[in-house]
Amino acid sequence: AELVSLVYVGSCIGCLLIFPLTKSFGSIKGLIFSGSCLLVVILGFLIYGPVLSYKMTAILLFLLGMATGTEIL
């Protein structure tokens, strides 16, 4: 349950970090596209990759949450 909650924490932080980036880049579509590509890569690595340590899994799930934060925009 600890690891799954990191997805939600990453999503909250990702939403807060992505919003200022949209103001500086001026293009929301590019950030949403890059976030969805990152989401596919991380999910593919988690599903089809090797067995990971606890820390690496936690980092990847946090990054997964940050990538889903771009989809919320």
Side-chain angles (χ1 to χ4, degrees), residues 38-48 64:
L38 181 66
L39 183 67
V40 168
V41 168
I42 292 173
L43 273 177
F45 190 75
L46 282 172
I47 293 172
Y48 298 113
L64 181 79

Side-chain angles (χ1 to χ4, degrees), residues 30-40 67-68 70-71:
L31 285 173
I32 291 174
F33 180 73
S34 63
S36 62
C37 289
L38 181 66
L39 183 67
V40 168
T68 57
T70 61
E71 302 296 324

Side-chain angles (χ1 to χ4, degrees), residues 8-30:
Y8 295 110
V9 171
S11 180
C12 292
I13 292 173
C15 287
L16 293 174
L17 291 178
I18 292 298
F19 183 70
L21 287 176
T22 58
K23 294 290 184 184
S24 64
F25 285 119
S27 173
I28 296 174
K29 290 182 183 180

